[in-house]
């Protein structure tokens, strides 16, 4: 059995598939040399302690990833504007659906000033383009894979049939394409699309396969929330670079020392003295952000699955990988001509808002937003325990759920379509101090309790991903309507899912 000191020092580096793992000192990163396979990431707790190591996947011949020793890049804060994601336009439309085309391709992107970072992108940009859907109107997105390695796409938070969910073993081979159909039969929300190829998704997402998907809901039009140019999606994540501007992938994710806001470190954003809606997604593979606004009020109006029943003023926003927060900030409360800085508890200053112009503002944040659906009484209760198994021997652990690592040939639970269930989801790594989170495909759920008491503030509303600090037990309630077939549930710290912290359910009649 590994003691805690050895676990904190655990890491792995692979020169290719099947290479033996080696130990890395805590806080170091395995260098990636030009022409070599990328080093794997060592899963960690959100507090930075290394939780596990795993052997990474070799890069196909002819698709080497450059990289050298990691550095802390010198960046002058607030000297570049925050980019805005482009909106993807449909290539065709019918009375019931819109069709889009998007290429997964390598691109050199300027993240650090004056340097180009090779990325694996959706459409050639750091952020995949915004796909704006509408409740009740279908979307078809054809993804062509111009990378030299297989990938796939999962629409995180979508209520979608199994064939279009981006199942981890169903891949788009190099040169191939696949069309995913999303019915959008759900209320308005910020979703996001990303790679979900089992075992390789941490690297794919880290190197750029992440994009916004916004479901606009006509039922919300009468609320008069900020819209148009005043409705701004924001992508937060972290990164580690070498001196040439290449991503360094490997070692401990907690060592990633640059926070990126829409693909830029510490940008500024010029705003008018009025209300703005910011839809924020955490696309880091393993990170908890804790955001505050210099003591100023942030009004949260929504979460993963859409609007809250009522707005909530927050001093801090706390959300983990895969989670979303939907907020309104009123810059008319900030002195005109001044600035206010969004700060993270770990990274410090992240984004500066500069109030540079006056504007008429007819938008509002109503006292009531959207009632939370009352779900039927649960007929099934399940216990779902997430853990790291060090008993296999050697330095490479296994991620398990209820004692078993992921096996796509095994069904871990059978769920009756239409049923409502309670899941008691526990982080069984409390003794190690490892943080996890938990994501269920197909459904949005409601958090009923945390550690036997009321839900935490960040648990409110409809969720598809929930944070699990060490030892926590969260009870959630979900109704499994609509579709049959196989779906996965997993820790959305992607390095943890990649070593097996994932299970599989089958929805049956």
């Amino acid at each position: 059995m590994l003691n805690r000191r050895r676990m904190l020092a655990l890491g792995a580096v692979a020169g290719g598939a099947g290479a033996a793992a080696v130990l890395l000192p805590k806080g170091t990163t395995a260098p990636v040399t030009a022409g070599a396979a990328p080093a794997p990431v060592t899963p960690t707790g959100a507090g930075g302690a290394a939780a596990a190591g795993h052997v990474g996947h070799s890069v196909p011949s002819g698709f080497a990833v450059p990289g050298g020793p990691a550095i802390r890049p010198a960046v002058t804060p607030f000297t570049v504007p925050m980019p805005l994601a482009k909106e993807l336009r449909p290539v065709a439309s019918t009375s019931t659906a819109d069709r889009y085309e998007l290429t997964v391709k390598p691109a050199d992107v300027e993240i650090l000033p004056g340097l180009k970072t090779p990325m694996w992108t959706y459409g050639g940009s750091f952020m995949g383009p915004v796909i704006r859907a509408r409740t009740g109107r279908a979307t078809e997105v054809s993804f062509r894979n111009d990378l030299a390695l297989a990938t796939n796409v999962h629409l995180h938070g979508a209520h979608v049939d199994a064939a279009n969910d981006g199942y981890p073993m169903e891949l788009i081979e190099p040169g191939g394409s696949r069309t995913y159909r999303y019915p959008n039969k759900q209320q308005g929300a910020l979703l996001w699309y990303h790679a979900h190829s089992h075992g390789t998704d941490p690297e794919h997402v880290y190197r750029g396969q992440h994009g916004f998907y916004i479901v606009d809901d006509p039922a919300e039009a009468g609320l008069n929330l900020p819209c148009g140019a005043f409705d701004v999606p924001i992508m937060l994540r972290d990164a580690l670079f070498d001196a040439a501007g290449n991503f360094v992938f490997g070692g401990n994710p907690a060592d990633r020392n640059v926070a990126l806001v829409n693909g830029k470190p510490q940008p500024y954003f010029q705003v008018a003295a009025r209300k703005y809606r910011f839809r924020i997604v955490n696309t880091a593979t393993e990170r908890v952000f804790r955001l505050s606004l210099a003591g100023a009020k942030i009004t949260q109006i929504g979460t993963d699955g859409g609007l809250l029943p009522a707005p909530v003023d927050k001093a801090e926003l706390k959300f983990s990988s895969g989670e979303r927060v939907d907020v309104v900030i009123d810059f008319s409360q900030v002195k005109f001509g001044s600035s206010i800085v969004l700060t993270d508890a770990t990274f410090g200053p992240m984004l500066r808002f500069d109030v540079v112009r006056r504007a008429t503002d007819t938008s509002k944040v109503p006292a009531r937003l959207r009632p939370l659906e009352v779900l039927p009484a649960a007929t099934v209760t399940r216990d779902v325990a997430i853990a790291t198994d060090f008993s296999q021997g050697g330095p490479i652990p296994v991620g398990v759920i209820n004692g078993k690592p992921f096996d796509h040939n095994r069904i871990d639970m059978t769920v009756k379509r239409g049923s409502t269930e309670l899941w008691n989801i526990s982080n069984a790594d409390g003794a190690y101090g490892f943080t996890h989170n938990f994501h269920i495909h197909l459904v949005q759920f409601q958090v009923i309790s945390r550690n036997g008491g009321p839900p935490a503030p960040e648990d409110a509303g409809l969720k598809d991903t929930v944070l699990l600090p060490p030892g926590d037990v969260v009870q959630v309630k979900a109704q499994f309507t609509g579709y049959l077939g196989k779906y996965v549930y997993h820790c959305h710290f992607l390095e943890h899912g990649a070593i097996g912290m994932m299970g599989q359910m089958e929805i049956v009649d």
Side-chain angles (χ1 to χ4, degrees):
M1 180 69 178
L2 295 174
N3 61 32
R4 179 167 175 78
R5 178 178 298 274
R6 188 177 177 196
M7 290 191 312
L8 290 176
L10 193 66
V13 61
V22 298
L23 293 179
L24 295 173
K26 179 180 179 291
T28 64
T29 299
V32 184
T33 55
V41 166
T42 304
T44 68
H54 71 282
V55 174
H57 297 262
S58 61
V59 175
S61 176
F63 204 81
V65 178
I71 64 163
R72 181 178 293 276
V75 175
T76 303
F78 312 131
T79 54
V80 298
M82 181 183 75
L84 299 179
K86 296 179 180 179
E87 189 168 320
L88 194 63
R89 299 298 180 186
V91 296
S93 296
T94 68
S95 61
T96 59
D98 297 306
R99 181 177 177 83
Y100 298 84
E101 294 179 351
L102 193 53
T103 302
V104 191
K105 63 182 182 180
D108 292 335
V109 178
E110 183 172 311
I111 302 172
L112 303 176
L115 298 175
K116 294 290 188 179
T117 299
M119 295 184 65
W120 304 343
T121 72
Y122 293 124
S125 300
F126 180 92
M127 298 173 284
V130 178
I131 298 175
R132 276 198 175 266
R134 193 174 75 197
T135 298
R137 182 176 175 81
T139 297
E140 295 180 357
V141 188
S142 178
F143 289 90
R144 174 178 169 79
N145 182 14
D146 280 357
L147 300 178
L149 68 172
T151 188
N152 72 351
V153 183
H154 167 59
L155 181 55
H156 183 121
H159 185 66
V160 64
D161 67 293
N164 292 285
D165 188 53
Y167 184 69
M169 315 308 293
E170 295 177 352
L171 304 180
I172 309 171
E173 296 297 332
S177 63
R178 179 169 185 149
T179 298
Y180 296 89
R181 183 177 175 86
Y182 307 124
N184 303 314
K185 293 180 180 179
Q186 59 192 98
Q187 69 181 56
L190 169 63
L191 313 182
W192 65 294
Y193 55 98
H194 65 84
H196 208 303
S197 47
H198 182 52
T200 62
D201 52 340
E203 184 175 13
H204 286 216
V205 174
Y206 180 74
R207 295 193 183 278
Q209 290 178 53
H210 39 48
F212 301 104
Y213 189 102
I214 296 175
V215 180
D216 288 324
D217 193 340
E220 299 173 4
L223 296 175
N224 198 24
L225 294 164
C227 61
F230 308 105
D231 178 0
V232 180
I234 293 179
M235 180 181 292
L236 301 183
R237 54 160 290 187
D238 52 16
L240 192 66
F241 294 91
D242 69 9
N246 302 302
F247 281 143
V248 176
F249 179 76
N252 187 335
D255 293 336
R256 294 171 186 168
N257 55 22
V258 179
L260 300 175
V261 183
N262 281 4
K264 296 291 184 182
Q266 294 182 300
Y268 66 85
F269 185 54
Q270 294 184 337
V271 297
R274 57 153 292 156
K275 291 184 287 296
Y276 280 73
R277 181 179 186 175
F278 296 103
R279 309 190 199 218
I280 311 173
V281 57
N282 180 350
T283 68
T285 66
E286 187 176 337
R287 173 70 61 179
V288 178
F289 285 107
R290 294 172 56 194
L291 305 179
S292 59
L293 192 57
K297 182 173 69 174
I298 302 174
T299 301
Q300 184 171 358
I301 61 170
T303 184
D304 300 347
L307 293 179
L308 296 171
V312 181
D313 291 340
K314 293 285 191 72
E316 180 182 81
L317 300 171
K318 181 179 180 181
F319 57 118
S320 63
S321 299
E323 291 185 274
R324 287 86 72 204
V325 290
D326 191 346
V327 303
V328 172
I329 299 173
D330 188 353
F331 295 105
S332 69
Q333 305 302 310
V334 179
K335 182 180 178 182
F336 184 78
S338 66
S339 300
I340 190 167
V341 176
L342 186 69
T343 300
D344 176 66
T346 299
F347 287 108
M350 296 270 288
L351 170 64
R352 191 183 73 191
F353 296 106
D354 299 332
V355 185
V356 298
R357 61 188 182 275
R358 304 187 190 277
T360 300
D361 185 8
T362 60
S363 70
K364 61 182 180 179
V365 179
R368 294 289 177 262
L369 294 167
R370 186 152 196 166
L372 194 62
E373 180 184 2
V374 177
L375 297 177
T379 56
V380 175
T381 299
R382 303 182 190 270
D383 294 324
V384 181
I386 303 176
T388 308
D389 182 0
F390 288 90
S391 69
Q392 306 296 316
I396 303 175
V398 175
V400 296
I401 294 182
N402 289 345
K404 298 178 180 179
F406 177 63
D407 180 350
H408 71 278
N409 293 311
R410 184 188 70 237
I411 300 299
D412 296 289
M413 60 177 73
T414 300
V415 177
K416 186 172 178 60
R417 177 163 60 177
S419 65
T420 302
E421 299 195 353
L422 288 172
W423 289 18
N424 298 310
I425 306 165
S426 61
N427 178 346
D429 278 339
Y432 301 149
F434 303 156
T435 295
H436 300 298
N437 71 4
F438 191 76
H439 173 51
I440 307 177
H441 287 219
L442 177 64
V443 296
Q444 298 286 337
F445 54 77
Q446 298 174 17
V447 177
I448 304 302
S449 67
R450 184 177 285 269
N451 301 324
E458 59 267 22
D459 297 331
L462 289 176
K463 299 286 294 174
D464 55 53
T465 307
V466 64
L467 179 61
L468 289 172
D472 270 23
V473 180
V474 174
Q475 185 177 75
V476 307
K477 187 177 186 180
Q479 186 176 27
F480 294 84
T481 59
Y483 302 109
L484 303 175
K486 294 190 299 184
Y487 295 86
V488 296
Y489 49 87
H490 56 94
C491 180
H492 211 280
F493 285 180
L494 296 181
E495 287 80 5
H496 300 190
I499 60 168
M501 205 170 285
M502 182 157 60
Q504 184 166 236
M505 61 184 175
E506 185 170 14
I507 315 300
V508 299
D509 276 331

